[in-house]
Amino acid sequence: MRQSGSPMNHSFGPRRPSFDLASALARDWHGGSAFRTAWFNALSMMLPHGERFFIDSVNEFRDKIEDPQLKSEVQAFLMQEANHMHQHQAVNKLLCEVRGYDMQAIEGPILKRAEWTQKRLPAIRRLAGTAANEHLTAVLVADMFRHQDSFIDADPDVAELWYWHGVEEIEHKSVAFDVYKAVGGTLKERRMVQIFGTIFFLSGTLRIVGLMLKHDGKLWSLREWLDGFRFLLVKPGVLRRAFIPYFRFLKKDFHPWEDDDRYLIDEWEAKRQPQ
Ligand SMILES: [Fe+2]
Ligand SMILES: [Fe+2]
């Protein structure tokens, strides 16, 4: 029986790009905006922990998958996420070195929360959380590719890190969801976990933005916060635009590939081919 909900012939695997970001990360690389720079830097700080969580959650159920297609997608998912984790760990280490951020202060609460979820939540709930977060990620990156306005004025090399990561998030967007379904995950739990997962994710990211702005002496800059508010919720409104697609996850018959956005992957691949 087919347990994978991916389009037929959809296949993917990890790419191995390398990035040289030391000089960009030392600056407010997002168009000189302290908030926008801190927003993406904070997301980068969250990612390796999220990805560790996603890898472990899916790994726990991989032996229960029978469909060879989904089995190979799980393998590719694990490789892509492990690669993302390592790239962002390297970026984060560099970022803290060049800007003087306190890695321990940033990571401490994330590690505590990770320990708590590992101990207290059943494996199936952690898997539901992974499926929900993968949906949030897929929605945000699809928006980023469609509108091409998330990195206007940003350093192109840092932007490329996000585009590379984003493309692979689209490619594997249904893996955790399909595994969750295949092992008997329920609609009720999926719905409940989405809201909590998003609250944790957004509050965790904003906490780190606050720490970074404080370190940079911009925590009380009304201008920076207004700029951030505008970027996230008004123009371009990268969070606002994701609002409706985000809630599609609550539908009974939802599937991540109901929005077949593989053309975004093709467009990105075509652009990076050597001329
Ligand atoms: Fe990832
Ligand atoms: Fe992912």
Side-chain angles (χ1 to χ4, degrees):
M1 197 185 79
R2 195 168 196 262
Q3 294 175 312
S4 163
S6 292
M8 290 294 180
N9 305 323
H10 179 54
S11 72
F12 55 91
R15 299 162 183 81
R16 310 265 178 212
S18 66
F19 300 96
D20 179 10
L21 305 179
S23 67
L25 291 177
R27 298 179 277 111
D28 283 340
W29 56 266
H30 201 298
S33 158
F35 185 99
R36 282 179 272 142
T37 301
W39 172 257
F40 285 100
N41 288 345
L43 283 176
S44 181
M45 286 286 176
M46 294 285 285
L47 283 171
H49 304 282
E51 277 152 348
R52 173 86 270 156
F53 176 87
F54 304 157
I55 288 169
D56 292 345
S57 310
V58 171
N59 226 346
E60 276 193 63
F61 290 93
R62 68 186 300 188
D63 293 342
K64 297 199 164 65
I65 303 302
E66 280 153 24
D67 172 19
Q69 167 74 16
L70 186 54
K71 262 180 192 282
S72 76
E73 286 177 11
V74 164
Q75 181 62 27
F77 166 86
L78 294 172
M79 281 159 55
Q80 284 189 330
E81 291 295 26
N83 201 22
H84 300 167
M85 196 173 80
H86 292 133
Q87 286 279 7
H88 280 277
Q89 275 168 340
V91 165
N92 297 346
K93 188 169 170 279
L94 185 62
L95 178 71
C96 288
E97 277 167 19
V98 296
R99 297 199 64 136
Y101 295 144
D102 181 347
M103 179 80 100
Q104 273 185 339
I106 290 173
E107 289 194 321
I110 312 177
L111 291 169
K112 257 193 198 158
R113 185 173 289 167
E115 205 179 301
W116 181 89
T117 41
Q118 202 65 29
K119 252 194 222 155
R120 299 291 180 91
L121 299 184
I124 190 75
R125 191 159 298 171
R126 282 184 265 122
L127 183 60
T130 299
N133 268 300
E134 287 283 286
H135 173 63
L136 172 64
T137 309
V139 160
L140 289 172
V141 300
D143 181 85
M144 170 179 94
F145 280 106
R146 275 194 187 109
H147 295 275
Q148 298 283 325
D149 54 9
S150 299
F151 293 103
I152 290 176
D153 299 334
D155 179 89
D157 293 331
V158 187
E160 197 48 33
L161 167 81
W162 289 99
Y163 283 122
W164 154 72
H165 191 160
V167 136
E168 297 196 350
E169 291 301 325
I170 294 178
E171 287 175 328
H172 71 227
K173 65 179 179 172
S174 66
V175 176
F177 184 90
D178 286 338
V179 173
Y180 179 69
K181 255 183 109 173
V183 299
T186 64
L187 174 65
K188 191 178 161 202
E189 188 167 49
R190 156 155 79 84
R191 284 176 169 164
M192 182 187 75
V193 164
Q194 184 191 23
I195 305 301
F196 284 107
T198 304
I199 291 171
F200 282 152
F201 174 72
L202 289 179
S203 62
T205 305
L206 280 173
R207 181 188 70 84
I208 301 171
V209 168
L211 285 178
M212 289 175 170
L213 290 179
K214 188 174 175 199
H215 177 275
D216 297 341
K218 307 248 173 86
L219 183 60
W220 302 109
S221 164
L222 186 62
R223 196 170 138 248
E224 290 298 341
W225 284 93
L226 284 176
D227 177 55
F229 180 82
R230 189 174 135 89
F231 177 72
L232 296 176
L233 297 172
V234 184
K235 198 176 174 214
V238 294
L239 291 185
R240 171 185 53 77
R241 285 192 311 221
F243 202 70
I244 291 173
Y246 166 79
F247 281 107
R248 286 207 309 257
F249 192 76
L250 297 174
K251 287 191 312 178
K252 196 174 165 193
D253 60 350
F254 167 79
H255 188 274
W257 283 111
E258 68 187 29
D259 182 14
D260 187 350
D261 46 14
R262 282 174 294 167
Y263 72 96
L264 298 172
I265 306 168
D266 298 340
E267 282 176 2
W268 178 77
E269 287 285 12
K271 256 195 244 168
R272 66 196 280 270
Q273 298 297 331
Q275 300 300 308

